[in-house]
Amino acid sequence: MSKVVQSRLVQNRRDVLAGIGAMGLAGCAPRVAGQAVLAPGFVKPPLVPIDVRAERIAKITVCLRPFRAAGPRIEAETVAAKRVVHNYGHGGSGWSLSWGSAEVAAGLALEGGARDIAVIGCGAIGLTTALTLQRAGARVTIYAKERAPETRSARATGTWSPDSRVADRARVSADFPDRWERMARASWATHLGYVGTAGNPVFWSDFYILRDKEEQQQAYAPPANAIDFAHYGGRLRDLAPRSRPLTRAEHPFPVAEARLMPSLTFNVAELSHRLMADFLLEGGRIEQMIFETPADLARLKQPVVVNCTGYGARALWKDETITPVRGQIAWLPPQRGVDYSLYYRGVSLLPRPDGIVVQAVGPSEMFGYGDASEVADRAEAEAALAAVAPLFTS
Ligand SMILES: Cc1cc2nc3c(=O)[nH]c(=O)nc-3n(C[C@H](O)[C@H](O)[C@H](O)COP(=O)(O)OP(=O)(O)OC[C@H]3O[C@@H](n4cnc5c(N)ncnc54)[C@H](O)[C@@H]3O)c2cc1C
């Protein structure tokens, strides 16, 4: 591995904390030692400590990110006498990029003038694509093996992470960074439209990025043949709020360095439900159907099909350019007053109305790469809780 790739990987590890990409960290303001942020007379409300005892684990879910080195596949071809528009392979960025990706796929689907369209898949990508098509005037039916909460999308963390394992920097086409940026900007704008609406499907939370002295000094050795994951967060500096350093007086955590940023969070359970409900309200239909091979598309009456099968595209389309990247979440019951998220020692904690999401994100984005096991690993979950326990107990 070249020195350049190695140093990028080390940088990735520092920047891609908790799967947020370089969004907030890349544009950090320089640290100003001892600078108090609150004017005298103002008091910050105390943070409620999170109860991370292993006995509180309510469930463990596992999901596979559909990673493609070239980035998501969004293109049209003819299969079984139908125009098929592919929209899959969004790695760890599916929720974040969904609306922008849907816009591109819907444009391709509507190109020939057809207005009766089938969407295969009812995850983040299928639902946003179906809604985007409806809003452009199409009549849409979703066909899918599973819908929320059974889809893999329903098992995602729920953070704005548009460049998390989205592509290999060395394998993307020259125009991919620009296309990615357009998708990310379009998605961001649409997601913001859900903030503050009934059920809070998208909301802001305070995100603390915490580091020990040892962690800062520790040199990270990337594995051989590690992917040079693409990161384009710097392109969105004007869009998402950035992190800022905290003085010791501004947080309760026993760590050497703390930063804080507002983080856009997807309340995945509610968001999936909301997108499904909106789709049905606007006249859409959802049918359960399993496609064993592309020839099964002939069963559909629609002339245009948008393929949003996520990791399922690997088997259905024999697309071995999809690599699984395993990710596991341990769920703690929601805790009254806990409304902040954090990253510490390779673990992220994120409170959602349906539970506190605890996830080991590992030392780099290679964590889980090539691992297709969807079996829960209790030891991994307990180790993640043990790693963050000193934040609340020492
Ligand atoms: C642990 C973890 C955390 C994540 N966190 C985030 C995050 O915080 N933010 C973010 O933006 N992204 C995150 N991701 C990534 C995100 O979850 C994925 O990119 C996204 O779910 C992909 O959505 P999808 O709709 O393409 O696929 P899926 O959700 O897998 O949906 C595929 C749909 O197609 C259907 N289907 C598949 N094959 C067939 C078939 N043969 N016949 C019929 N139907 C079929 C399925 O039933 C399903 O309805 C995370 C991923 C993991 C694993």
Side-chain angles (χ1 to χ4, degrees):
M1 191 184 325
S2 78
K3 281 215 163 93
V4 176
V5 171
Q6 271 198 21
S7 75
R8 275 193 196 135
L9 282 162
V10 174
Q11 190 58 41
N12 284 355
R13 186 205 176 212
R14 292 187 186 127
D15 287 350
V16 186
L17 299 175
I20 59 163
M23 298 301 100
L25 303 176
C28 302
R31 187 185 169 95
V32 184
Q35 186 185 41
V37 170
L38 289 179
F42 288 94
V43 181
K44 265 186 96 63
L47 298 182
V48 173
I50 305 178
D51 185 346
V52 292
R53 284 171 298 146
E55 70 207 49
R56 296 187 77 243
I57 295 175
K59 67 174 175 181
I60 299 175
T61 55
V62 184
C63 172
L64 303 178
R65 301 171 182 91
F67 172 76
R68 292 184 79 242
R73 183 177 182 202
I74 312 174
E75 62 187 6
E77 65 171 332
T78 302
V79 180
K82 298 195 186 286
R83 179 173 170 80
V84 175
V85 176
H86 298 287
N87 189 11
Y88 66 82
H90 296 74
S93 306
W95 277 107
S96 306
L97 288 179
S98 56
W99 290 108
S101 187
E103 215 172 273
V104 180
L108 291 172
L110 296 170
E111 248 174 27
R115 285 294 177 270
D116 197 4
I117 297 183
V119 169
I120 307 181
C122 198
I125 302 297
L127 284 167
T128 51
T129 302
L131 278 159
T132 303
L133 284 163
Q134 270 184 335
R135 289 167 189 175
R139 194 166 55 244
V140 185
T141 306
I142 293 178
Y143 300 91
K145 185 163 65 176
E146 301 123 340
R147 60 182 82 174
E150 278 80 35
T151 57
R152 291 196 173 91
S153 292
R155 286 175 248 147
T157 315
T159 52
W160 168 250
S161 56
D163 61 355
S164 166
R165 296 163 168 114
V166 75
D168 179 340
R169 193 190 303 260
R171 304 276 302 279
V172 295
S173 60
D175 65 340
F176 181 73
D178 286 344
R179 285 193 284 120
W180 174 88
E181 183 177 340
R182 282 195 295 275
M183 290 194 289
R185 286 181 181 275
S187 277
W188 177 261
T190 309
H191 283 308
L192 286 187
Y194 285 86
V195 175
T197 64
N200 291 320
V202 182
F203 62 94
W204 289 98
S205 67
D206 279 348
F207 176 44
Y208 291 85
I209 302 146
L210 308 174
R211 286 188 187 139
D212 290 330
K213 225 182 189 124
E214 312 91 77
E215 195 186 355
Q216 290 166 38
Q217 286 160 359
Q218 201 182 357
Y220 169 66
N225 306 321
I227 301 290
D228 184 12
F229 289 104
H231 288 288
Y232 307 118
R235 287 173 163 252
L236 305 180
R237 277 191 188 158
D238 60 306
L239 203 70
R242 303 178 198 175
S243 71
R244 68 174 178 85
L246 296 179
T247 63
R248 191 62 196 84
E250 290 181 286
H251 66 86
F253 303 108
V255 294
E257 189 185 307
R259 304 190 69 92
L260 176 62
M261 67 182 267
S263 170
L264 194 67
T265 306
F266 308 123
N267 176 4
V268 169
E270 177 60 28
L271 184 56
S272 306
H273 182 256
R274 169 72 169 275
L275 299 181
M276 267 200 288
D278 284 357
F279 173 71
L280 295 170
L281 266 176
E282 291 187 34
R285 289 182 50 241
I286 304 179
E287 269 186 42
Q288 192 183 32
M289 195 176 284
I290 298 177
F291 300 84
E292 304 291 351
T293 73
D296 289 346
L297 262 51
R299 304 204 311 246
L300 303 176
K301 62 178 193 316
Q302 294 87 348
V304 177
V305 178
V306 190
N307 168 39
C308 306
T309 46
Y311 185 71
R314 190 180 152 93
L316 176 58
W317 297 90
K318 309 251 174 299
D319 184 349
E320 301 210 344
T321 65
I322 298 180
T323 303
V325 186
R326 182 185 186 279
Q328 171 174 296
I329 288 172
W331 294 81
L332 304 180
Q335 203 183 319
R336 191 186 299 263
V338 172
D339 57 1
Y340 60 94
S341 52
L342 63 82
Y343 166 85
Y344 179 62
R345 291 190 181 172
V347 175
S348 83
L349 289 190
L350 176 77
R352 290 187 358 204
D354 51 344
I356 298 175
V357 168
V358 183
Q359 188 183 1
V361 295
S364 84
E365 287 186 294
M366 287 304 289
F367 188 67
Y369 184 84
D371 184 349
S373 166
E374 292 190 87
V375 177
D377 179 348
R378 175 93 193 180
E380 178 186 312
E382 292 194 9
L385 291 170
V388 292
L391 291 176
F392 309 108
T393 52
S394 60

